[in-house]
Amino acid sequence: MIARKSGMTGARRAALLATVAGAALVGTTARAQVAAPPSPPVALAAADTDAGAEIVVTAQRRAERLQDVPLSVSVLSGEQLKNANVTSIDRLEQLVPGVRIGRSGPDARPAIRGTYTENISATGDPRIGVYIDDIYQSRTSQIPPVVDLQRVEVQKGPQGTLYGRNSFGGNIAFFSATPKDTFAAGVDALYGRYNRRRIEGFVNVPISGDLAARVAGLYEKADGYVKNIGTGNDVGDTDEWFVRGTLRFAPKSLDDRLEVLLRASYDHQGGAGNFSFGYKFLGTLVDPSAVRAPGQSLTRNGVTYTLPNGFNGNGFTGLPYAIDTRYRDGIPDVGGADVGIPTLADPYKINTDGVISRRLRQQQYSGTINFDAGPVKLRSISSYTDFYLNRSGDDITPAPLNLSYIKNKTRTYTQELQILSNDKSSRFQWIIGGYYLNDNVTEQSVTNVNRAYKTTTAAPGQQFYTFGFTYAPTAANAIDQTFAYDSFSALQQKTRSLAGYGQASYTLFDKLTLTAGARYTSDRKTVLSSRFNATATGGVGSSYYVNLIDDPVNYQCGGLIAANAASNATNIANAYNFVCGKLTANYVTYRGAVDYKFDRDHLIYGSYSTGRHAGGFNSGAVTVAGVPTLLSFAPEKVEAYEVGSKNQFLDGRLTFNVAAFVNNFRDLQAQTSIPNPNNPLTGVIALVQNIGRDRAYGADLEAVVKPDKHLTVNVAFNYLHARELDYAVNVFEFGGAATFCNITPDCTAASGERNTVQGTPFPSARTDPNRFIPIVGPDGKQIVIGGVPQFKYVIAGRGLDGTKYTSKKSLSPDYTVQVGAAYTIDLGAAGTLTPEVQTYFNAGYLLTDLTPNFGNQKAYTKTDLRLTYLTENGKIRVQAFVDNVEDQAVVNRVAYSNHRSLLGNYAPPRTWGISAGYRF
């Protein structure tokens, strides 16, 4: 189990503060070397606000003007990030059109153009690529804080040629500031709501004519914005420190043809965090007209069910109720029935008994070598990452039922080599590259059960009962009668990926450019997944296996995993064993594009590109020919079409970019049911398979206008039509059939209705037969198990009578609008004062594909206000700000728990603060 410790030792905190203070001290003794002061505060926009200023990006792996790149790319400079209080990836959605950043616990889940990162387990891969200084991040929990950055690029649509590695829906690329040849230093401090304290600083020191160093760091601490009235262990807090050092070597004797960049960083996060997948149960779907007391009957679609044990109304369809149906408390909720535990109405308040904690440590090291060899440029990018995360959660009730823990470790090595054309005046530009990734991820999870808990002796408010269809809880339903052993799982995924790529462009008539590129990728994965291997002896609740999160695990194919010595069951040494699987996936992605440049200020383009999201393994083993086996799934595929135009008018005072796109997704990885490979005529199993097909089309518009040197206005609009076209989900044998209706012929097995959606009784093959598609075996006949016909349920696709069903894609609002304005008031020798406003409107979105009637985030508006003072010499900056003025509580991610209770978390509420900075 996790012991609570301070997130930063006194020595480490002192070292970091000394770094920041050192920047200030050195600055006071070296003002003669001060570089040019920073530009004034600017409005939040995806372009430089100075009229005619050039924005350079590397979306095509070479430095180019943003307006010359035939891709949809949004950019935020380091000054814009600081001005907008962007300290993590989460706030990018407020600023970048067409991007959503969901979060579950420590994991960011970006969504771009109809696709999003879903599987965040050890055996999953992100669908949106995240890069730090050109280095791919294999886990979305590894993204460091935003500190001393040069810029952020958001590249929309698949980037399968030049980036490749899981850039399925696009990339989010962070670039840190590099050392310069002149001295510079700065320090910024912030205080805000929830007792937020943040101090960050940097120092840039030219060591010699050939060598320069830059060090940046931060320390931030804030109370949790989610109040836990049970323990006072509030969640959503911040307790982090981070430091990054960069060394740049560029010998003058080589006329700067050689550049070597060495980087090292360390990130540490403590505090409570935000649980693993959400901090609050939002509720569940209940049909109040279906609630029945024991002995009553219920009629659906002409079928009458007699309910000797009653029914709580829970189903795949129904109305959302703020009730957690995993447990009950004996108090009537709906229609006079006890159907669960009411959740707290306040989105930022919970009541739990467990102490939640998070411990994250990450070291990253990288080296980049750039060499100008005359006709060509050579580049080498190397990296090593060592990541550790240990987080805990509980059952999210005030009763002491259980505590859960998840521990992740990742070690990643990457190497990339590039050869690029070097004659900028040439009509022919090209790049050739090779990429290698070695990624080793392990994950252990444990849920420790409190076996001392007794419903009959629990304190008032903690007398929770397990779920059942009986109208009221009884002693037989007490939770202390249900647990025999702790849940435990261990996973390991080793990925070796090799890729070779190339892209070339040729310009005709000085205006028309043709581009083509391709990438070949070979992924090799080895996965180990634990399974329960022994049988407990004795009665339920008297014999059990104990597992602790820090117990050693020997990751070895076929190896055995022992339970903790505190177990009182037999065969402890052989409690679990590993099942292993290996796969190789080879594929090609490619891109073709054409662009026409009327002049320096006007460009039109069109492109066709493809992308892949890596395949993998199902973590649960099935038996094939008597052998435990992990079944695999193939990579997902996307074909993307895009046309766009980039324009500047009025001598650069107006920038207007527009792009329209169509993304066709196929072979999507989704849960489904397939015939059991061990006995295909008599069994089915639930697995992730490549069955889904989606389509997303839309448009992005971005405009920045600066009519004079004082006023800047930015407007952005994103339209997105994302729909599932073919998606059928698992049905399961309804586990509550015996208690739901155990008097024949109600719940007739031969009708197939015992296999229902998400483990709920309605709809079923009798109440809604058109959307239940038979599962057939190799003989073409429907599979029947125990007399029960097997089905899949159509969310999107065609029903039995040919009716076409579609569904909205999750996390994909139909449209978003962003409008911002900043006006700089010239105070003469006193400096400038800049009030600004940035508003973001979201039309709302579906949070989960599995329940169209629940989990919808309604339309909302978020507005940020800022007032910034800057001295005339640009050295002192003071800002007051309010983010989310409307105090909107926005659900940004959900997951279903058992009994279809919806677990989720909310983005932070209204925050405010004041910051001050000094540049030396």
Side-chain angles (χ1 to χ4, degrees):
M1 297 188 180
I2 303 173
R4 289 184 59 81
K5 298 185 294 184
S6 171
M8 180 190 292
T9 65
R12 287 177 172 174
R13 182 183 295 109
L16 178 62
L17 294 177
T19 299
V20 176
L25 179 60
V26 175
T28 60
T29 61
R31 291 185 181 178
Q33 303 181 54
V34 171
S39 58
V42 295
L44 312 182
D48 196 305
T49 56
D50 291 333
E54 303 290 0
I55 303 172
V56 176
V57 298
T58 54
Q60 296 194 108
R61 310 308 297 269
R62 66 170 69 242
E64 299 173 286
R65 290 177 67 236
L66 173 64
Q67 295 302 105
D68 291 339
V69 177
L71 293 169
S72 183
V73 183
S74 294
V75 184
L76 293 170
S77 70
E79 281 298 316
Q80 288 171 312
L81 294 168
K82 181 175 292 294
N83 185 69
N85 189 29
V86 178
T87 57
S88 70
I89 191 174
D90 303 66
R91 274 184 52 79
L92 289 183
E93 72 175 26
Q94 183 79 3
L95 311 173
V96 180
V99 174
R100 278 221 68 257
I101 307 294
R103 180 170 288 278
S104 56
D107 298 283
R109 298 192 178 193
I112 300 175
R113 291 188 173 180
T115 191
Y116 50 86
T117 290
E118 180 61 24
N119 187 352
I120 57 173
S121 72
T123 57
D125 293 273
R127 284 188 176 127
I128 308 296
V130 175
Y131 287 79
I132 308 296
D133 293 317
D134 283 323
I135 295 164
Y136 172 72
Q137 308 295 298
S138 65
R139 306 287 112 187
T140 60
S141 52
Q142 294 177 194
I143 306 171
V146 174
V147 180
D148 192 33
L149 293 189
Q150 185 182 74
R151 71 184 186 281
V152 174
E153 296 180 19
V154 179
Q155 304 151 5
K156 303 170 190 175
Q159 309 293 317
T161 300
L162 294 179
Y163 289 88
R165 184 71 195 158
N166 291 322
S167 297
F168 186 67
N171 287 332
I172 301 176
F174 298 83
F175 296 91
S176 56
T178 57
K180 308 300 180 185
D181 292 335
T182 55
F183 175 85
V187 61
D188 293 274
L190 180 150
Y191 181 82
R193 190 181 183 189
Y194 301 109
N195 199 25
R196 182 186 180 194
R197 295 94 72 199
R198 177 184 173 98
I199 182 170
E200 64 177 280
F202 75 92
V203 57
N204 187 103
V205 179
I207 299 174
S208 69
D210 299 338
L211 190 64
R214 191 178 185 101
V215 178
L218 79 85
Y219 174 66
E220 182 170 357
K221 194 172 181 64
D223 299 337
Y225 64 85
V226 180
K227 180 68 177 176
N228 186 352
I229 64 175
T231 63
N233 175 216
D234 299 342
V235 300
D237 63 340
T238 302
D239 186 356
E240 180 174 23
W241 65 275
F242 171 84
V243 63
R244 177 180 61 242
T246 307
L247 196 65
R248 180 178 182 267
F249 175 66
K252 303 299 183 183
S253 60
L254 295 177
D255 296 325
D256 291 329
R257 290 189 296 116
L258 173 65
E259 179 188 55
V260 179
L261 288 168
L262 301 178
R263 291 187 176 93
S265 66
Y266 185 86
D267 188 19
H268 182 282
Q269 296 182 32
N274 233 342
F275 286 75
S276 295
F277 301 101
Y279 65 76
K280 187 181 186 68
F281 277 97
L282 309 182
T284 191
L285 288 170
V286 175
D287 183 355
S289 67
V291 175
R292 294 293 185 272
Q296 293 183 337
S297 62
L298 174 65
T299 300
R300 279 289 183 272
N301 198 24
V303 180
T304 298
Y305 303 87
T306 300
L307 308 172
N309 298 302
F311 179 49
N312 71 344
N314 183 233
F316 187 69
T317 59
L319 302 174
Y321 278 79
I323 294 174
D324 177 1
T325 59
R326 297 173 305 148
Y327 306 105
R328 298 183 302 154
D329 54 10
I331 301 172
D333 302 298
V334 180
D338 174 20
V339 300
I341 304 168
T343 64
L344 296 174
D346 189 333
Y348 300 109
K349 187 176 292 184
I350 59 175
N351 185 2
T352 75
D353 70 296
V355 176
I356 312 305
S357 64
R358 168 191 59 196
R359 297 293 178 267
L360 182 153
R361 300 189 299 270
Q362 177 170 255
Q363 302 174 60
Q364 289 193 316
Y365 306 92
S366 68
T368 301
I369 302 173
N370 297 300
F371 182 69
D372 184 339
V376 298
K377 283 187 176 181
L378 306 177
R379 179 181 298 144
S380 170
I381 306 170
S382 309
S383 76
Y384 174 75
T385 299
D386 188 338
F387 175 80
Y388 171 88
L389 173 62
N390 196 333
R391 58 198 189 274
S392 71
D394 81 343
D395 50 86
I396 316 185
T397 74
L401 305 177
N402 59 64
L403 288 172
S404 60
Y405 305 87
I406 300 178
K407 180 167 68 175
N408 299 85
K409 292 182 179 180
T410 304
R411 288 185 172 87
T412 307
Y413 171 75
T414 68
Q415 176 63 56
E416 186 166 8
L417 299 173
Q418 298 174 353
I419 305 176
L420 304 87
S421 58
N422 197 26
D423 184 358
K424 294 182 180 180
S425 64
S426 173
R427 297 175 181 271
F428 185 51
Q429 299 291 324
W430 52 270
I431 177 174
I432 298 173
Y435 179 78
Y436 171 71
L437 173 136
N438 185 323
D439 191 47
N440 187 343
V441 185
T442 61
E443 177 180 284
Q444 294 169 225
S445 61
V446 170
T447 297
N448 294 132
V449 175
N450 178 13
R451 296 176 184 84
Y453 174 76
K454 299 289 183 181
T455 304
T456 53
T457 59
Q462 296 184 353
Q463 298 171 351
F464 292 170
Y465 298 81
T466 56
F467 174 83
F469 281 138
T470 48
Y471 190 71
T474 64
N477 296 96
I479 196 168
D480 49 277
Q481 301 294 317
T482 64
F483 293 105
Y485 53 86
D486 293 345
S487 68
F488 167 84
S489 70
L491 296 170
Q492 181 188 60
Q493 176 172 279
K494 291 183 177 180
T495 303
R496 308 291 186 272
S497 183
L498 282 169
Y501 62 89
Q503 180 170 293
S505 300
Y506 190 81
T507 301
L508 301 169
F509 318 117
D510 296 327
K511 294 181 180 293
L512 179 67
T513 301
L514 306 178
T515 300
R519 185 185 191 101
Y520 174 80
T521 301
S522 179
D523 284 344
R524 295 184 180 183
K525 287 189 174 182
T526 302
V527 170
L528 303 180
S529 178
S530 65
R531 71 167 188 163
F532 191 59
N533 189 46
T535 302
T537 59
V540 172
S542 61
S543 295
Y544 47 82
Y545 290 87
V546 172
N547 298 276
L548 301 182
I549 192 63
D550 289 324
D551 286 347
V553 173
N554 181 19
Y555 287 92
Q556 183 177 353
C557 184
L560 296 172
I561 308 169
N564 190 272
S567 308
N568 71 353
T570 59
N571 205 15
I572 293 174
N574 301 323
Y576 303 87
N577 74 310
F578 274 123
V579 180
C580 59
K582 295 182 179 181
L583 67 81
T584 298
N586 303 318
Y587 50 88
V588 176
T589 51
Y590 48 90
R591 175 175 183 261
V594 57
D595 65 82
Y596 187 84
K597 185 180 294 185
F598 296 92
D599 53 40
R600 180 178 173 82
D601 294 330
H602 303 285
L603 170 77
I604 59 173
Y605 67 90
S607 70
Y608 168 77
S609 58
T610 65
R612 295 291 186 272
H613 172 234
F617 282 96
N618 288 271
S619 58
V622 298
T623 301
V624 179
V627 179
T629 304
L630 297 177
L631 298 183
S632 64
F633 48 86
E636 299 176 308
K637 303 172 183 177
V638 59
E639 295 181 320
Y641 304 84
E642 181 176 323
V643 295
S645 176
K646 295 188 173 184
N647 304 274
Q648 286 189 323
F649 305 95
L650 305 175
D651 295 325
R653 292 194 298 273
L654 170 62
T655 299
F656 178 75
N657 297 338
V658 59
F661 60 89
V662 177
N663 289 347
N664 290 319
F665 304 99
R666 58 190 175 94
D667 296 337
L668 291 177
Q669 300 156 7
Q671 287 279 353
T672 186
S673 299
I674 66 170
N676 190 324
N678 190 51
N679 197 346
L681 295 180
T682 60
V684 295
I685 55 177
L687 292 170
V688 172
Q689 291 292 295
N690 300 90
I691 63 163
R693 186 168 62 91
D694 296 347
R695 176 177 295 130
Y697 60 83
D700 291 323
L701 293 87
E702 298 182 64
V704 180
V705 57
K706 192 173 180 66
D708 58 46
K709 65 179 182 179
H710 299 290
L711 177 64
T712 301
V713 178
N714 68 279
V715 179
F717 175 80
N718 169 257
Y719 169 72
L720 177 61
H721 182 93
R723 298 294 185 269
E724 290 178 338
L725 303 180
D726 189 1
Y727 185 33
V729 298
N730 296 330
V731 297
F732 304 96
E733 182 168 0
F734 178 44
T739 56
F740 175 69
C741 48
N742 57 3
I743 300 176
T744 57
D746 302 327
C747 289
T748 304
S751 70
E753 68 187 287
R754 290 198 178 182
N755 273 327
T756 60
V757 185
Q758 294 282 298
T760 60
F762 301 117
S764 71
R766 279 212 287 177
T767 63
D768 187 9
N770 196 47
R771 297 178 79 154
F772 283 79
I773 306 299
I775 299 176
V776 298
D779 58 357
K781 297 180 180 180
Q782 184 173 11
I783 294 176
V784 177
I785 302 177
V788 180
Q790 303 299 301
F791 297 88
K792 290 186 290 187
Y793 180 77
V794 174
I795 297 287
R798 294 194 179 275
L800 287 178
D801 65 358
T803 301
K804 186 176 181 180
Y805 300 97
T806 61
S807 176
K808 276 190 170 186
K809 189 68 178 174
S810 298
L811 307 171
S812 301
D814 287 342
Y815 64 94
T816 59
V817 181
Q818 287 145 309
V819 179
Y823 188 82
T824 299
I825 303 170
D826 191 346
L827 302 178
T832 60
L833 188 66
T834 306
E836 57 187 301
V837 58
Q838 181 75 25
T839 294
Y840 170 72
F841 174 79
N842 188 305
Y845 45 87
L846 192 67
L847 284 164
T848 168
D849 300 323
L850 297 178
T851 309
N853 295 328
F854 190 30
N856 299 340
Q857 172 58 54
K858 297 180 180 179
Y860 64 91
T861 301
K862 281 187 177 182
T863 302
D864 297 344
L865 299 177
R866 277 169 167 68
L867 182 63
T868 307
Y869 169 75
L870 190 69
T871 58
E872 186 181 25
N873 61 9
K875 291 182 178 181
I876 298 175
R877 173 181 174 274
V878 180
Q879 183 187 80
F881 66 89
V882 181
D883 293 334
N884 187 10
V885 172
E886 297 84 353
D887 202 20
Q888 287 283 354
V890 177
V891 183
N892 62 14
R893 201 66 181 183
V894 297
Y896 273 104
S897 182
N898 51 349
H899 299 292
R900 291 191 59 74
S901 284
L902 194 66
L903 176 66
N905 52 263
Y906 291 83
R910 179 192 300 126
T911 57
W912 49 262
I914 186 168
S915 65
Y918 187 81
R919 295 294 178 267
F920 300 98

